[in-house]
Amino acid sequence: MSTDVDANAFPPAATDGLVMGKDGMAALVDVLIGRGFTVIGPTVRDSAIVLAELRSADELPYGWGVELEAGRYRLRERSDGAAFANAAGPQSWKSFLHPARVREWSADRVEGELVLTADQAAPSRYAFLGVRPCDLRAIAIQDRVLTGGAYRDPVYAGRRSGALLIAVECTEPGATCFCVSMGTGPAAGPGYDLVMTEVVDEDGHRFWIRGGSQEGAEILAELPGRPADPETRETARAGVTAAADRMGRTMPEADLRELMAGTLDAPRWDDVAGRCLTCGNCTMVCPTCFCTTTEDVTDLTGDHAERWRLWDSCFDLDFSHLHGGPVRASSRSRYRQWMTHKLGTWHDQFGSSGCVGCGRCIVWCPVGIDITEEAAALHDWTRSGASDDGAAS
């Protein structure tokens, strides 16, 4: 979002929004491309719904849904032709805002002198089409982490600046979703430029679209459609409300920050360590994990070198390597670090939870470890009176 949300800044017609059909969606993509945006949205590729550049709205996943479970992801065809009735896929928007590989600089030996060149390629101006409410919160968290402190990440800031966010409220949660537990969905929170709710019923396939910023309102004014009618608005709201009651997962009803702090010695950590492969998939798909490392490479002549920034993972043994060895040598300590940071100490660092309830870490764990199940087990352990025998610290 390029400006703050201020509903009072828009006329009633803009805040009530429009109802548009598939032709309106096609026009939206065309308007965004015409304004110079690189449009990124969901599309079907390699048996998954992935995020990729869209040349037209025809590339949206019309008629495709997903089946999600711990360690399992499958596409399934839908008879209603909906475009956004699918939960989070393997990617999040951090793939574009905080990419997995970035060249920071290169160096060349020229006539005996070393010449350093910073990588200053101008980033695209992105329009993200189809941002789920959980991912909208994830972007806000990464904004805080990567640009909100004393040390701004210029790569993230450059890509984030001017990015247009078009949110889509969730009416079809997956079996691994728990955004309600984390307070991030299924209705869209603040931070979008435009927000849509997709409706498919006997009155047809349509999108209720509203503005959330000045630029969003200007784009809205270019789209075909009719003023939003009360019936469509009510149906859309009812769909979002119903989605909140169909979450596939829930977190235990407890203060997760206190739960993490009070269970550091729980035997459950040994149990999950016996299953965890420490592959780091959960950190790669997590929309808020942000850790990186650097790698220097050179060619065989020794006249050219480059420094690359790469995603890193706290599950990597070298992640905490200091003189003498890694601080967290066991898989138990590495899983505990990831989960307690995500749900607990993230609050101390950044003032919020680091989890948005998208469920990607559950789906893409090759052995199906479920963060909600682990949190529930820790909660049960505390309620069982484990501290009475001194087992808990």
Side-chain angles (χ1 to χ4, degrees), residues 68-385:
L68 306 178
E69 256 308 336
R72 187 176 190 276
Y73 178 99
R74 294 289 186 277
L75 280 182
R76 66 177 177 85
E77 292 190 58
R78 299 180 59 92
S79 60
D80 60 6
F84 297 103
N86 41 74
Q91 298 161 289
S92 68
W93 306 95
K94 82 173 182 181
S95 300
F96 300 92
L97 295 174
H98 183 55
R101 287 173 54 84
V102 174
R103 188 175 63 185
E104 295 192 318
W105 51 257
S106 60
D108 292 281
R109 195 191 311 275
V110 180
E111 297 179 350
E113 299 291 330
L114 191 63
V115 178
L116 292 173
T117 305
D119 199 287
Q120 297 178 331
S124 299
R125 191 182 180 203
Y126 290 116
F128 294 151
L129 173 58
V131 181
R132 299 296 178 177
C134 56
D135 282 341
L136 193 64
R137 178 67 66 85
I139 292 172
I141 290 173
Q142 288 219 313
D143 287 350
R144 167 69 183 86
V145 172
L146 297 172
T147 66
Y151 304 101
R152 291 169 57 87
D153 175 3
V155 175
Y156 181 89
R159 289 168 173 260
R160 180 70 177 89
S161 176
L164 191 88
L165 306 183
I166 305 167
V168 174
E169 296 190 298
C170 185
T171 58
E172 190 79 10
T176 52
C177 293
F178 55 101
C179 65
V180 170
S181 291
M182 305 312 295
T184 61
Y192 55 78
D193 293 280
L194 288 165
V195 62
M196 292 187 292
T197 313
E198 186 174 25
V199 175
V200 185
D201 60 13
E202 61 276 9
D203 293 326
H205 187 178
R206 56 204 189 279
F207 304 88
W208 176 31
I209 181 168
R210 295 88 76 193
S213 70
Q214 185 62 45
E215 187 168 25
E218 292 171 2
I219 292 170
L220 191 65
E222 297 184 49
L223 302 180
R226 54 182 167 81
D229 56 277
E231 293 76 16
T232 296
R233 294 202 303 264
E234 184 58 33
T235 302
R237 289 177 180 133
V240 175
T241 300
D245 296 329
R246 301 204 312 274
M247 289 290 115
R249 297 288 199 277
T250 59
M251 278 290 188
E253 294 184 3
D255 185 321
L256 297 177
R257 185 182 185 182
E258 292 183 1
L259 179 65
M260 293 299 105
T263 56
L264 296 178
D265 294 322
R268 184 69 182 189
W269 300 116
D270 293 316
D271 183 278
V272 69
R275 291 173 278 133
C276 179
L277 305 178
T278 66
C279 64
N281 265 18
C282 49
T283 60
M284 299 297 108
V285 298
C286 176
T288 65
C289 278
F290 58 88
C291 291
T292 58
T293 186
T294 56
E295 180 180 86
D296 292 339
V297 297
T298 185
D299 64 6
L300 293 177
T301 68
D303 290 332
H304 179 79
E306 296 178 349
R307 170 161 290 181
W308 287 80
R309 191 178 78 179
L310 315 173
W311 282 356
D312 202 358
S313 170
C314 52
F315 282 91
D316 192 299
L317 194 59
D318 286 339
F319 183 81
S320 63
H321 187 93
L322 298 175
H323 179 70
V327 173
R328 291 185 284 273
S330 68
S331 55
R332 177 186 191 276
S333 62
R334 296 203 289 281
Y335 186 86
R336 186 181 65 177
Q337 155 63 24
W338 174 74
M339 185 167 164
T340 57
H341 184 218
K342 190 66 63 180
L343 299 178
T345 53
W346 199 293
H347 287 273
D348 303 323
Q349 276 188 290
F350 306 116
S352 73
S353 172
C355 177
V356 298
C358 68
R360 288 186 176 93
C361 60
I362 303 172
V363 175
W364 298 97
C365 174
V367 295
I369 293 175
D370 182 338
I371 189 173
T372 66
E373 183 180 316
E374 299 310 315
L378 292 170
H379 185 49
D380 290 345
W381 182 72
T382 60
R383 292 194 303 170
S384 68

Side-chain angles (χ1 to χ4, degrees), residues 12-32:
T15 53
D16 287 346
L18 299 174
V19 173
M20 63 184 193
K22 291 177 66 174
D23 61 327
M25 186 61 65
L28 173 59
V29 174
D30 290 343
V31 167
L32 294 172

Side-chain angles (χ1 to χ4, degrees), residues 44-82:
V44 174
R45 182 179 300 170
D46 300 328
S47 301
I49 295 177
V50 301
L51 300 177
E53 182 174 353
L54 303 180
R55 303 292 185 183
S56 80
D58 292 338
E59 296 176 89
L60 289 168
Y62 285 111
W64 289 100
V66 294
E67 293 178 356
L68 306 178
E69 256 308 336
R72 187 176 190 276
Y73 178 99
R74 294 289 186 277
L75 280 182
R76 66 177 177 85
E77 292 190 58
R78 299 180 59 92
S79 60
D80 60 6

